[in-house]
Structures are given as structure tokens and as C-alpha cells.
């Protein structure tokens, strides 16, 4: 509360006098946003019921689908148990950390509650989405027996359930905590108490994506190595004991994993933008703080419209139908965004069109990211074709050219992100030029925050397209395993191919939003440190003193601790990727061994006279993937904490030593603020780690996502008959590239997205320990 | 001269009043250092003469050696012509840039002269080293016919010529320019005028390493693909038309390329450390400025002793003998370093033992880097063995595990570098604790500079070991092509294997010194910007005013322009690597086509009845490699310049616009310094690019160097009979990894070392354009 009181003074001091209460405005906005969230949940329920009510095909298909469902549910149950245990330990750590200092103790309970609510919501979102997906797959397969359009709609609506639930839960969770913590009475300080929500979401997302990613690729690579390569049977052949594990993997990796990823994005972005909105309280009042919630309400409505209208002719490319829906969603979202900006971010001295411009920048950035990803991963364009061509001279040249393409991919996205940041910063300053008492820096940063919200304003539709991927993939597998041929196969193949494209595009979108959101989250971290220091100095001065004008906006790379933090942050992304990739390798090896054993002990499997033990394989992958996810996960959580504490301690004990020897402070970053020395070494080293870790993580993730996607499609391109087609030497070489790309694009790459945001949220939550 | 005058005032202002002239002290130190440099050149000449006087074997061997020599010399001639043209263009640009402003015009000529001297010295060093290497190879081969020791000594002494010439020329070049520019009269300002020397060296190094790296790997990969894979003939088989190009490549890539790389390191480090020494002028006088030159004089003497005493028993592992020499060199260098610190970096209030400690930290860092590189690239240890084991399941798992190892490799080196930076910073502050009037920051940074000098204090020996690699590689090739068998082959194989190890170790050393030196060069850049701004403000104030206490030590990552610069810097390292790797691919393809054509048009080649046209292949690779090196080279030079100018301009025109509309400045980084607005947006964005580009480049280079080395040795490990030995499936898979690793470890990785330093030197030279 001291913190709260101080901040109130700080804000009043910074701008015109405004009473720091939300009033009726805030209440109505909050109820509208949360009401839309609840309606979206109802809509998701209706969609789910409609999908589940559909026909489930033949008994054979049901048998396969049931096996997938059981495997996926068993994995998720065990995974959530592990994550739950880790989360509880962390909750205790956070509580103890906050409780240790009288300064933070009042917020200990609130932070832990937000943390747990965030974690539970994230788990719930992942579970619900997957619950529907593993039921939508067989319905899609069954619908494909009659019409492409029906199958497409089934898959997309199944996917939309994930999207709606994810964003609605994030909206309701943040809104409810805000209300519960008294945000309507004290709107400028409650956002700081919500940081735990983002951290809870990130933690679950990290382990969900990592565990799911290891699972899916270990099963895939293992099944391919022993099935296609050793036994010479085709993909998805029912004789392969690992085939069900492979299909389970699509759900737990792509579906539950990406659901948690986007949940985390919206949660972190909501909380971060609310903190920045609090800094602009004198301008927009509570409207500026609650603006992100309204944007997500618009997101829900627009995407629901988009999903409902998508339909597809029998001879059409399903991608065209999906794109039509995306364009419609974007148009509706943009219109809603304009209305929201006009009514909420307006007032004397505010140029709301500039702020709308920031939102447009965000939307355009989303489009550009999707297009760039298409360019690098579709076989129509040069990069994939160059990999296919290089395959003719063998696997080595295939790998070299794939890596070269992967390393080229960050160039354009980085230019786009740079332009988006600079332009939205500029627009923010211009839009708020008439407002006095707020620094240009705060105005510009708020512009970048609006751009991030613009980019995320069609997230639900994107997520629906993404989950469409594993559903159609599974549907194809079910059709193949139940030995259907002819037009049905053609339909599921078409959908499967569209699903592969949407999966690649959403990865591009996810990394784009992560990099844009990163700057927003940095700024929130700096605001948080500023609040903590302000509070600390005031306490040291006896509680009554209020330093004016100090703000923490300086992360100086030329200082050794910051530079070292930056080095360590970049290194973390490499080490983490290495661990994730190795985990896939080790787990895949266990799959290979089990399948070999099953083939050896039961020769009836290959003859087709007896069934393999699918469940044993599923069980083995489940256990191994969960074991393997712990170490890299702990590394990511532990490293920023260790850096923050070590630098803080190092700096303090050095100062004690220096005092003893009568020397200067030596380690800088201990400025005098209002007459008190404040040790910022820990906080700044962590900021360096966070920022440069983010930059390195974004580039590595792009390399891996796009490189992996390009390898995959180079193989598929050759399979269409280019360079000798299937069974040619070029195809063999391309299969090598595809296999290398698998852990890149489905394990390490997506896990890096989550890592970036986890770094941001963990530093936000643990910031009080670093000062 | 205005700049000079101001700086004199600034320094006097910062510390006790000391006359800023060097006096006799400076003269004697300079003469001693340059005298040692000249003696080292004489020693190099004697060594070269002794090597060249040796027996050149049979006529058959001479024919092969002559072909290599002609090819290498032809390449170097054409390469230097291209580099010369680029350098002249840049010289004009630099001159025009400096001349455009009255502020920098007085330094235009001096800067261009240093630039050209640096470029010429670098070229000379590369050429001389290679001149000896391509003659030492046949002598080594011939000596191997009688004794391992003789062959080892021939190769090492041949290599030592490169090392001695490189460091001696750097020493003499910097010393002569210092003298010539009046450094003895005005020692604190002349170092700033030497920045052109470092830039000239870097520019030549970049193109030498890039062109040589593309050449060597294109020839290697091309020869392997068409020889080993298609025609089924062994490596270095005389029937392969690309075999001579392959052997030429070892010289122009590893030998001339790495020579230029280390020349650049010592040049940049000399100049950077002299600038930092100037900041400590009140403490050490001219001794602190000339200290780096003395360290390199010690380096020359110590390494010459080390090289001379190395000898090897007939049945000994040559690596042991080389290591003995390295330990001896380090011990002598350390003793010399201690004496130099005691006599030069001493005085009232200085704890010289702390400063010696900094040097020890540098030496220990060098050892640790070498050991870590050994751990990751030698088959005795887990990483290489894990790749070999993964090869049993095919090329895909070989690649995956190699990449996983590569991504793991930065972890330990980053921790070592972090510890070295923090400790040497701390030691610097403690060692100078008793000195008043100098900031702790300047003291700490000088500590890191001493550590860098410590690390480079055995560079000559390391470089001798490095050039040992291509000499023994060539000797092995000559012996193989001239069909020798038995104990001679065994000897050259042993030496070749030791050469592979030394090449890997020196890469570890080079990247270690680059990352330690990076911080030194950042600091020099900041000092330079400070000097420019100080001068500019004083001019604006009418020339008489002197702002006190402002210093440019703040590169704030939380500012959008700095963050965008950082993003672009990291992206540059990826894009550059991609371009380098693709260049190898394209050039290798031309080799493959030519060899196929020769085989087709002249069937006598494979039958052994007629000779292939080696020269045609050499000619093709030469032309292609030189063409391919231009674009990535221009990218590296152009990007920091573009970022600096665009941000400067953007910021200025925005301010004009803002004034028009009556708003705030928006783009920050335009502080008021002594009442004058100074636009630092360009300078800070470039600093962000430089620092984060360096971090990203260091990590990527480690990934590529060590990953490539590990793949190479995993293949060799299997060839010793593990996992089925040669011709097994595991071996085939390992060959794929080795081929992928080639452009990694010999083209992109080493070129990144040079890129890092070029970024530092180009920003130093062009700093005046960014403010």
C-alpha cells in the first residue's frame, strides 16, 4: 500500500490532478469486456457441442480415434501433474521472496493468487482446446467422406473452440483479478499486482510447449526412423506401434502447446499494457488501463464472425477459404479497434487518429509476417525450391542450403519489426503531442503498446487456423489407417496440406507478436523497477519523502554487468535450444528401441495378423518427454533469478569490501537517488539478459521455424514429381533435411517463443528481489 | 587541432595537472618496441631462409608443390587487386566524409594515411606468411621422409614466419604512425588519429578471410562431392582435377586468412588500448599509452623462444611437443608482462599487482578457451563421441546431434568471458583505487584492456601453431599425390592430425580474444564519441567554452533506436553467415561442373593415362570466390554506416517536423549538453548494433567453429574403426556432417571473427559522421 500511495502521488505529480479512482466508466468497461468473454465461452461451448454432435464414422475409425484420445488425455493428465508440482514449488518461492521484505510483503498473497489463477486458466485453456480437437479429428474425417466444405468447417470450428477459450479465459482472468484486487478503487496500482497472472501463464506455457514439443517430435522421428526407414512401411501405417503416439503428439504439441503459447501472449500483453496504461492515467483515466481488455473483446467478436462465415467449394483450395475468413476478421477487428480508440483513447490534446495509426501498424505487421513466412516456407518461391534443387547433390547440400535459408529468414522480419517499433513510437508521440506532463518516452512506448494490441487483435482467428492443423492432420491419419482411398483421401490430403501451411504461418505470427510485445514488456519491467525503487527510497527516508522525476529508463550496455547479463541471455537461448533438441533425440531413441522390440517379439504385427501394443509406446514417450522437459525448463526459470541475485549480492558485498579498503564503488549502477544509494546492478543485469536474450531468441526461433518449414516443404515439393519425385536420391536427401527440421520447427523454435515471454514475466514478478 | 586542444583541457580537468608531452620516456619505449619489431622481422627472415634452404624432395613432389604455389599466388594477386580497389573507394569516402565538416577536416588526411598503411601492412603480412607456407609445405613433406622431428620443426618454423611478420608489422605500423603524427609531442590525442590503421587492417582481413574461406571450402566440398562421392576416388587423388585447387585453398583460407585475422586483432587492440591509455594519462603518462606496444614486443620474444625450442621424439604425439612450446611461451610472456607492468604501470596510488592480475586473467582465459574447444572438438570427449554414435542411425541424427553440440558450445566460453570481464574490471578498479580524479568506470575498463593484452601476449606462438595446420595438410597431400607409402605417410598423417587440432584450438583462441577485445573497442568508441561531442559543443559555444564532466558512457537498450540498432546488428550476423554459406555452395557447384566436364571430355584422366587440367579448376574457383566475397563484404561495411546516417538524419528531420508542429522531440537521445542539443541517435543506434552484433556474432561463430570441428572429428573417430569404421553406414552419415561443417568452420565462422572487429573499427573511424 505504501507503493500504491507513492505511485498515486507520483502520477499526480507528473500530470494534471485527476482523482485516482475508476468510477462508473471503469465498471461498465470491465463488465462489457468480461461479458463478451463469458459470451465467447458460451459460443465456444455451442461450437463444441455442434462439432461433437456430428457423425463419428465407422467403428474402425472410432477405434483409432479412441486410442488417440486416450493417449492424449493420459499425457495431459500426467503433464499437468508435473507442471502443477513445479508451479506449487514456485508459488512458495515467490511467496517467501515477497514475504522476506516488509516492502513487498503486502503484495505476497495477491501475487501468488494471480500466479495460481494464471497457471490454472492456462492449463484449463490448453485442456479444453485439446478436449475438442481430439474429438473434432474423427468428425472431420467422417465429414470428409461426403464434402470438403463440411470437413473444413468441422476442423475450423473445432479449432475455433481453442481460440475462443484461450482469449476469453485470459480476458476473464485478468478482468476478475483486477476487480477482486480493488482495481476500480485504485486503478493505477492494481495492474502491478497482476504480473503474477502473466508469470503463471508463461510457466504453464513453457512446460506445455516444451513437453508437448518433445513428445510430438520424438514420436514422429522415432516412428519414421523405425517405420519408414527400417521396416519400409508408409507413414501412418497401422502396423507401426508408434503410429498412435505420433498422432497423439500432433495434439499435445501443436494444439495444447500452441494454445498455451497464445494464452501466455495475450495474458502478458494484457498485464503489460495495463501497467503502461497506468503511466498514462492522467490522460485517459481508467479507460487507458482497460483498453487492452476491450481490444480482446473485439478480437473475440471479429474472429467468431470470421470463423462462422468460412465456407469452401468442393474444388477450391481450402487455403483460399481460410484466407477469406482472415481478411474479414481483420476488417471487423480494425473497425472495432477504430471505435474503441475513438471512444476510449481520446480527449483534450489527443490526436486519436495517430493512435489508431499505431493499431494499423500492428495489423500490417501481422500481415507482413505472415507473407514473409509464406515466402520462405512455400514451394512456390525461391527458398524452398533452392533446397529442393540442392537435394539432387545429396543430403549434405540439402542441409547446407536449408541452414543458409534459415539464417537468411530473420532479415526481412527484423526490418519490419524495426520499422513498426520506430513508426508506432513516433505515432505515439505525435498522437499525444498536446498532452503535457508526460514524457515523450512514455508516449512513444504507449504507441508501441497499441501496435502490439493491434497485432494481437485477430489472435483468436489465427489460433483457430493453427489448431485446424493438428485436427486435419489427425483426420488424414485416421482415414489412412482405416484404409480409405479415392476422393476421401484427396479431400483429407488437401486439408492436411492447408493445415501444414496454417501451422507455419501462425508460427510466424506468434514470433512476430512476441518480438513486438517484448518491447512492451521491457517497458513494464522498467516501470516496475521504478515503482520499487521509488518506494524503497521513500521508506529509507522515513516513509514520508517522495523523490520526484527519477525514472528507470536506462539499461546501459556499456556497463559490464549489463553486458555480461546480455551475453548470458543470448547464451541461454542457444543452450536451451540445444537441450530441447537433444531431448527429442533421446526420447526418439526410446521409441525406436520399443518398436524394434515389438516387431521382434511379435512377428504377427508386420504380417498384419496381430495388433501392435500402441499404448506401451504412448506410455514410454509420455514418461520420457515429461522427464526431459524439466531440466531445460528449470534452466530458463533459474537463470534470470540467479543473475539477478548474484549481481545484486556481488555488488553489495563488493561495496562493503570497498568501504573497508577505502576505495570507490567500482561496480557502478549504484546511483544516488534522492540522497540514497540504490543498488541497481541486479536489476540492470537482468534487464540486459532479458533484452538481448529476447533478440537472440527471436532470431534463433525464426531460423528454426522457417528453416524447418522450408525443409519440410522442399521434401513435399520433390514428392510432387520434381527432381525425380518419390524414391529418387533427391527425395532421400530431402527426407534427411525434413527430419533435421522437425525438432527445429516443432520443439526448439516454438519453445523459444515461450521462453522469450517467460523471461519477461519472471523478471516482472521477481523484480523486487533484484533491487 | 581543436579536438586536441579540448581533450588536453578535458584531461587536465579530470585529473592532476600533468604536461601532455611524452618526453624521453616515450621516445625510448617507442624505439625499444619498434626495435624488437624490426629484430622480429629479421628473425622471421632468417627462419624463412632456413626453411627455404631445405631439401625439396623428388621432382614429382616439386611438380605438385609448384602447382599449389602458382595457384595460391595467382589467387592472392587477383584478390589483392580487388581488395585494393575497394580500399581505394573507401579511402575516398572516408576522406570526403571527414572533409565535409570543418570539425573533422584537419584529421582527414591522417585518417586516410593510417587506413592505407593498415591495409598495406595487413596485405603484406598475409602475403609474406603465405609466401613461406607454400614453400614450407614441400620441405615438410621432404623432411618427413627422414624424421618426424625435422618435419615438425620445418612446419612450425614456417608457420612462425607468419606469426612474427603479422605481429611485428602491426607493432611497427602503429609505432611509426604514432611517431610520424607527432605522438611524442601530443601523446593523448594521436591515438585517436590511428583508428584508420585498425580499419584498414580489418577491411583487408574481412575480404581475405571471406574470399579465402569461400575458396578453400568450395574447392574442398566440390572436390569431395565429385571425386569421393561420384567417381569413387580417394581424397587428394591426383586424378581429381580439383585436387590442386583444394590444396591451394588450405593456404589462401587458413593461412593468409587467419594471418589477416590476427593482424587485425593486434592492430585493433593496439589502437583501442592506446585510446584507453590516453584516458589514464594523468596516472601513467605516456607509458600507459605505449604499454600495448611493449606487450607485443614481449609476445614476439617469448614466442620466438617457444618456437625455437620445440622438438619431438619419433614416437611422440606431435601435439605434446607443440603444447610444451606453448606452455614455455606463456611462462616467458607472463614473466615479461610482470616486468612491464611493474616498470610501466606503476606509481603513487597504483597497486600494480592488481593490474598484473588482470593480465593473468587474460592468459588464463586463453588457456580455458583452448581447453573448452578441445573438449568440444576432440574425439576423446563426450560431444564428438555422441555425434559419432548418432551417425549409426543415419545422416539426419548425425546432423541433429552435431547442431545440438554446436548450440551447447557457447555456454562455457560465455561464462568464462563473463567472469574474465567482471574480475578484470574489479581488479582494475582495485589496482587504481588510490588514484583520484579518474572515474571507477575508466579504471575498470582499463583493467579489461590489460586482460585483453594478457590474452594476446602469446598470439605469435598461437598463430605459428595455426599456420602449422595448412603446411602439414599440404605436406600430407603432396606425399599422398606422389604415391608415397609406409612410415612417411604415417608421419605426415600424424602431423596432419596435429594440424587439425591446432587449427580448431586457434579458432577458439581467436574468438575468445575477439570477445574480450570487443569490450575494449566499445569503450574506445564511447571515448571517441565523447571527444567529438565535446569538440562540437565547444565549437557551437564559440570555440572557447569547455563543458566539464560530460561523458558518453550510456548505450541505453531501452531506447527504441538503440534496440532497433541491436536487432539489426544481430540480424546482420545471421544474414552475413547465410550469404557466406551460400557463396560456398554456388562456387562448389562450379567446381563440380568443371570436374564432370573434364572427366567426360578426357576419359584418359580416370584411366591415369593423361593429366587433368588443374589450372582451369584453380582459375574457376579463383574468379568465383572473388566475385562472391564482394556482396557480403559490402553488407558488413554498409550496414553500420547506413544505420548511423539514417538514424541521425531521421532524428534531425523529425525534430524539424516537431518544431513545426510544436511538439516535443519524440525521438530521444538528443540531450542538452552544456546548453546545446546534441543529436546522439545515430551514434547510439550504431553502438547498439555494434554491441549486440558482437554478442550474436561471437555465439554464432562458436556454434559454427565448434560444431564444424566436432563433425569433422566424429568422422575421423569412426574412421579409426568405431561403429563399423570406413565404408560403414555410420561413416557415410558422418561424411554428411563433415561436409555440412566445412563451410561452417572454415568460411562463415572465421569470417564472423573478422566481422566483429570490422564493426568495431569501422564505427571508430566513421564515428564523426554519426553525430
Amino acid at each position: 500500500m505504501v507503493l500504491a500511495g507513492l505511485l498515486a502521488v507520483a502520477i499526480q505529480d507528473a500530470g494534471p490532478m485527476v482523482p485516482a479512482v475508476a468510477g462508473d466508466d471503469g465498471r461498465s468497461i470491465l463488465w462489457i469486456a468480461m461479458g463478451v468473454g463469458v459470451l465467447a465461452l458460451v459460443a465456444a461451448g455451442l461450437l463444441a457441442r455442434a462439432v461433437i454432435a456430428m457423425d463419428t464414422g465407422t467403428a474402425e475409425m472410432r477405434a483409432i480415434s479412441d486410442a488417440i484420445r486416450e493417449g492424449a488425455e493420459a499425457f495431459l493428465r500426467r503433464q499437468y501433474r508435473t507442471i502443477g508440482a513445479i508451479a506449487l514449488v514456485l508459488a512458495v518461492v515467490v511467496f517467501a521472496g515477497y514475504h522476506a521484505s516488509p516492502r513487498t510483503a503486502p503484495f505476497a498473497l495477491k501475487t501468488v493468487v494471480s500466479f495460481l489463477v494464471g497457471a490454472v486458466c492456462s492449463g484449463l485453456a490448453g485442456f479444453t482446446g485439446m478436449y475438442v480437437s481430439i474429438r473434432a479429428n474423427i468428425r472431420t474425417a467422417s465429414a470428409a467422406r461426403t464434402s470438403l466444405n463440411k470437413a473444413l468447417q468441422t476442423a475450423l470450428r473445432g479449432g475455433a473452440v481453442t481460440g475462443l477459450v484461450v482469449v476469453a479465459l485470459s480476458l476473464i482472468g485478468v478482468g476478475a483479478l483486477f476487480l477482486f484486487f480493488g482495481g476500480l478503487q485504485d486503478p493505477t496500482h492494481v495492474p502491478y499486482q497482476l504480473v503474477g497472472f502473466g508469470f503463471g501463464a508463461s510457466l504453464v506455457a513453457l512446460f506445455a510447449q516444451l513437453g508437448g514439443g518433445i513428445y510430438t517430435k520424438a514420436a514422429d522421428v522415432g516412428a519414421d526412423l523405425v517405420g519408414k526407414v527400417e521396416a519400409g512401411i508408409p507413414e501412418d501405417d497401422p502396423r507401426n506401434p508408434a503410429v498412435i503416439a505420433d498422432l497423439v503428439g500432433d495434439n499435445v504439441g501443436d494444439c495444447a502447446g500452441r494454445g498455451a503459447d497464445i494464452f501466455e501472449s495475450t495474458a502478458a500483453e494484457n498485464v503489460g499494457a495495463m501497467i503502461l496504461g497506468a503511466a498514462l492515467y492522467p490522460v485517459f483515466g481508467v479507460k487507458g488501463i482497460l483498453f487492452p481488455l476491450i481490444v480482446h473483446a473485439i478480437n473475440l467478436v471479429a474472429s467468431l464472425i470470421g470463423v462462422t462465415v468460412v465456407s469452401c467449394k468442393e474444388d477450391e483450395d481450402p487455403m483460399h477459404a481460410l484466407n477469406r475468413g482472415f481478411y474479414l476478421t481483420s476488417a471487423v477487428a480494425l473497425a472495432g479497434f477504430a471505435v474503441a480508440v475513438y471512444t476510449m483513447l481520446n480527449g483534450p490534446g489527443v490526436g486519436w487518429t495517430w493512435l489508431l495509426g499505431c493499431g494499423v501498424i500492428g495489423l500490417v505487421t501481422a500481415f507482413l509476417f505472415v507473407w514473409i513466412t509464406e515466402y520462405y516456407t512455400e514451394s512456390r518461391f525461391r527458398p524452398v525450391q533452392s533446397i529442393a534443387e540442392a537435394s539432387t547433390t545429396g543430403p549434405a547440400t540439402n542441409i547446407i542450403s536449408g541452414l543458409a535459408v534459415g539464417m537468411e529468414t530473420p532479415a526481412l522480419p527484423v526490418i519490419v519489426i524495426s520499422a513498426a517499433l520506430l513508426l508506432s513510437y513516433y505515432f505515439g508521440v505525435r498522437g499525444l503531442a498536446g498532452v503535457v506532463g508526460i514524457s515523450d518516452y512514455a508516449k512513444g512506448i504507449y504507441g508501441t503498446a497499441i501496435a502490439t494490441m493491434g497485432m494481437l487483435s485477430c489472435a483468436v482467428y489465427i489460433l483457430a487456423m493453427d489448431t485446424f492443423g493438428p485436427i486435419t492432420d489427425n483426420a488424414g491419419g485416421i482415414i489412412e489407417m482405416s484404409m480409405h482411398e479415392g476422393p476421401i483421401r484427396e479431400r483429407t490430403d488437401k486439408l492436411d496440406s492447408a493445415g501444414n501451411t496454417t501451422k507455419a504461418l501462425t508460427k510466424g505470427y506468434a514470433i512476430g507478436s512476441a518480438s513486438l510485445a517484448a518491447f512492451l514488456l521491457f517497458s513494464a519491467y522498467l516501470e516496475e523497477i521504478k515503482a520499487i525503487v521509488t518506494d524503497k527510497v521513500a521508506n529509507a527516508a522515513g516513509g514520508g519523502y517522495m523523490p520526484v522525476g527519477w525514472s528507470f529508463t536506462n539499461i546501459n550496455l556499456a556497463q559490464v554487468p549489463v553486458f555480461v547479463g546480455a551475453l548470458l541471455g543470448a547464451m541461454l537461448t542457444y543452450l536451451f535450444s540445444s537441450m530441447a533438441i537433444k531431448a527429442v533425440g533421446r526420447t526418439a531413441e526410446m521409441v525406436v528401441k520399443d518398436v524394434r522390440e515389438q516387431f521382434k517379439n511379435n512377428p504377427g504385427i508386420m504380417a498384419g495378423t496381430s495388433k501392435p501394443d500402441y499404448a506401451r509406446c504412448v506410455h514410454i514417450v509420455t514418461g520420457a518427454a515429461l522427464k526431459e522437459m524439466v531440466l531445460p525448463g528449470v534452466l530458463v526459470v533459474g537463470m534470470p533469478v540467479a543473475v539477478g541475485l548474484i549481481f545484486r549480492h556481488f555488488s553489495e558485498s563488493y561495496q562493503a569490501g570497498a568501504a573497508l579498503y577505502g576505495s570507490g564503488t567500482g561496480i557502478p549502477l549504484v546511483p544516488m537517488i534522492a540522497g540514497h544509494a540504490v543498488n541497481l546492478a541486479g536489476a540492470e543485469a537482468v534487464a540486459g539478459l532479458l533484452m538481448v536474450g529476447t533478440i537472440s531468441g527471436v532470431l534463433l526461433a525464426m531460423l528454426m521455424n522457417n528453416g524447418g518449414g522450408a525443409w519440410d516443404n522442399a521434401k513435399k515439393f520433390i514428392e510432387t514429381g520434381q527432381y525425380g519425385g518419390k524414391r529418387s536420391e533427391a527425395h532421400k536427401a530431402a527426407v534427411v533435411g525434413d527430419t533435421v527440421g522437425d525438432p527445429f520447427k516443432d520443439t526448439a523454435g516454438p519453445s523459444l517463443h515461450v521462453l522469450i515471454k517467460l523471461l519477461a514475466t519472471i523478471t516482472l514478478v521477481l523484480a523486487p528481489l533484484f533491487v
Side-chain angles (χ1 to χ4, degrees), chain A:
Chain A
M1 286 306 103
V2 177
L3 176 63
L6 284 169
L7 270 167
V9 180
I11 282 156
Q12 285 166 22
D13 195 272
M17 197 62 190
V18 184
V21 290
D24 290 340
D25 261 7
R27 193 173 325 256
S28 7
I29 295 170
L30 205 55
W31 285 122
I32 290 173
M34 288 171 66
V36 172
V38 171
L39 287 179
L41 284 185
V42 172
L46 292 176
L47 275 181
R49 211 173 63 172
V51 167
I52 292 176
M54 289 180 68
D55 177 65
T56 53
T58 66
E60 206 177 359
M61 285 162 69
R62 271 195 298 278
I64 300 161
S65 161
D66 286 350
I68 299 174
R69 212 182 60 219
E70 279 162 27
E73 285 175 352
F75 176 76
L76 230 60
R77 262 199 308 277
R78 285 183 58 183
Q79 188 183 36
Y80 283 162
R81 218 179 299 143
T82 311
I83 298 177
I86 297 173
L88 282 180
V89 171
L90 272 173
V92 171
V93 170
V94 169
F95 188 81
Y98 267 70
H99 215 75
S101 152
R103 200 159 38 87
T104 49
F107 310 112
L109 190 65
K110 284 184 177 176
T111 304
V112 168
V113 167
S114 340
F115 171 73
L116 291 176
V117 172
V120 169
C121 283
S122 173
L124 207 61
F127 182 81
T128 323
M130 218 197 58
Y131 180 89
V132 178
S133 301
I134 53 184
R135 284 163 179 83
N137 53 14
I138 184 167
R139 275 89 179 168
T140 302
S142 172
R145 293 184 305 169
T146 53
S147 126
L148 181 66
N149 183 41
K150 238 174 106 185
L152 173 86
Q153 288 185 340
T154 310
L156 185 63
R157 287 171 189 184
V161 174
T162 306
L164 290 169
V165 170
V166 158
V167 174
L169 277 181
S170 160
L171 185 55
I172 296 171
V174 171
L177 284 173
F178 184 79
L179 199 65
F180 180 71
F181 289 167
L184 289 177
Q185 287 73 48
D186 188 12
T188 50
H189 316 114
V190 170
Y192 289 94
Q193 299 160 18
L194 302 181
V195 292
F197 187 80
F199 180 42
S202 307
L203 187 84
V204 172
L206 181 75
F207 286 103
Q209 180 67 65
L210 194 55
I214 295 170
Y215 188 115
T216 179
K217 285 305 121 174
D220 189 3
V221 170
D224 281 3
L225 278 179
V226 79
K228 281 200 235 176
V229 181
E230 288 187 14
I233 52 181
E235 197 165 334
D236 288 344
D237 190 295
R239 286 170 295 177
N240 191 333
V243 70
I244 294 290
D246 186 6
L247 290 168
V248 169
D250 292 334
N251 290 294
V252 299
D254 289 340
C255 179
R258 191 94 66 258
D261 179 359
I262 303 278
F263 181 81
E264 176 196 27
S265 287
T266 55
E269 179 240 340
N270 271 336
V271 175
M274 285 169 89
I275 289 177
L276 296 182
L280 289 180
Y281 187 79
V283 187
F284 300 123
V286 74
K287 288 176 185 167
I289 297 173
L290 296 179
F291 183 70
L293 299 185
I294 290 297
V295 171
H296 281 298
I298 294 167
N299 179 356
L300 285 168
V301 175
S303 302
L304 195 55
I305 295 174
V307 167
T308 318
V309 302
V310 166
S311 78
C312 169
K313 294 196 203 77
E314 188 62 32
D315 54 353
E316 200 186 357
D317 180 353
M319 245 354 262
H320 291 165
L322 292 173
N323 280 338
R324 275 200 303 273
F326 180 45
Y327 296 141
L328 178 66
T329 304
S330 306
V332 175
L334 183 60
F337 204 90
V339 173
V341 170
Y342 180 73
T343 51
M344 296 178 74
L345 303 184
N346 212 337
V350 177
W352 70 276
T353 44
W354 287 106
L355 302 185
L356 177 59
C358 296
V360 173
I361 290 170
L363 259 176
V364 170
T365 304
F367 273 93
L368 290 176
F369 261 76
V370 167
W371 286 338
I372 294 168
T373 311
E374 267 185 343
Y375 174 72
Y376 278 110
T377 55
E378 288 197 4
S379 56
R380 287 180 287 151
F381 301 104
R382 182 193 57 82
V384 170
Q385 289 176 3
S386 73
I387 298 177
E389 199 192 324
S391 309
T392 57
T393 39
T397 41
N398 167 285
I399 298 291
I400 291 177
S401 75
L403 286 170
V405 165
M407 287 185 182
E408 187 190 311
T409 55
L412 289 176
V414 161
I415 291 171
V416 169
I417 280 289
S418 299
L421 279 174
L422 288 169
L423 272 181
S424 57
Y425 185 96
Y426 175 75
F427 280 26
V429 174
R430 292 303 295 270
L432 299 170
V435 175
V436 290
I438 303 274
S439 71
D440 276 350
Y441 184 73
K443 293 173 185 174
I445 293 296
Y446 199 67
T448 67
I450 298 176
T452 308
M453 293 184 235
M455 184 156 189
L456 282 171
S457 69
C458 47
V460 174
Y461 190 86
I462 296 272
L463 196 48
M465 288 219 295
D466 186 62
T467 313
F468 175 86
I471 294 176
T472 53
D473 191 339
N474 266 233
I478 292 171
I479 291 292
E480 174 142 6
M481 283 182 71
S482 53
M483 309 289 179
H484 285 85
E485 290 292 338
I488 310 172
R489 272 293 286 280
E490 267 168 41
R491 285 190 202 113
T492 55
D493 280 356
K494 257 171 139 175
L495 289 173
D496 195 5
S497 148
N500 276 327
T501 308
T502 60
K503 277 196 282 183
L505 300 187
T506 49
K507 263 178 245 160
Y509 175 82
I511 193 69
S513 61
S515 37
L516 203 51
F519 208 80
L520 183 159
L521 293 168
F522 298 161
S523 315
Y525 173 78
L526 300 182
E527 283 289 320
E528 166 108 11
I529 296 283
K530 172 185 160 185
I532 294 164
V533 171
T534 308
D535 176 41
K536 192 171 185 169
V537 171
N539 267 345
Y545 180 74
M546 179 57 225
V548 172
W550 185 79
S551 64
F552 184 62
T553 51
N554 193 355
I555 302 307
N556 184 2
L557 254 185
Q559 295 288 9
V560 177
V562 178
F563 185 75
V564 166
L567 260 178
L568 290 171
M571 177 271 263
L572 172 65
T573 60
Y574 280 73
L575 185 58
F576 174 80
S577 306
S578 168
M579 288 166 99
I581 291 171
K582 277 192 215 156
V584 172
R586 275 191 300 264
T587 310
E589 216 164 276
M590 297 183 68
V591 176
V592 169
K593 277 187 192 143
D594 180 65
V595 172
R596 278 190 195 145
E597 216 178 275
Q598 291 206 26
F599 279 154
K600 204 175 121 197
N601 296 345
N602 186 355
I605 296 177
M606 277 302 281
T609 54
S610 78
K611 285 241 161 207
D613 187 349
Y614 298 129
R616 202 174 90 180
C617 218
V618 169
H619 183 75
I620 287 173
V621 192
T622 302
L626 292 179
K627 209 185 102 209
E628 293 283 354
M629 80 180 184
V630 174
L631 194 61
V634 168
L635 174 80
V636 174
V637 174
M639 192 138 144
V641 181
V643 167
L645 294 180
I646 288 172
F647 274 90
R648 181 192 166 175
H649 178 78
F650 177 57
S651 174
E652 265 163 14
S653 57
Y654 172 62
Q655 280 180 81
L660 209 63
Y661 292 94
S663 125
T665 58
I667 303 300
L669 311 177
V670 186
M672 299 299 281
I673 299 166
H676 295 271
V678 179
N679 176 4
L680 292 176
E684 297 210 1
V686 167
L689 181 147
L690 168 63
M691 292 184 182
V692 176
T694 299
I695 292 176
S696 176
V698 166
L699 297 190
L700 259 185
M702 286 178 189
L703 189 172
M704 299 212 225
N705 290 342
N706 295 332
W711 267 315
D712 188 354
N713 281 331
K715 185 195 72 173
K716 294 206 173 102
F717 183 59
I718 291 178
E719 285 173 356
T720 64
Q722 304 287 329
Y723 301 111
K726 268 196 176 181
R727 268 168 250 281
S728 66
E729 284 301 311
H731 185 250
K732 269 188 206 156
V735 168
V736 172
D738 182 35
T739 313
V740 171
D742 269 346
F744 267 41
K745 72 179 199 300
D746 291 319
T747 311
S751 298
L752 278 173
H753 302 177
V754 191
L755 180 151
I756 292 165
K757 282 168 282 180
L758 180 73
L759 283 182
T761 56
I762 196 174
T763 48
L764 266 178
V765 168
L766 298 182
L769 308 184
F770 304 149
V771 179

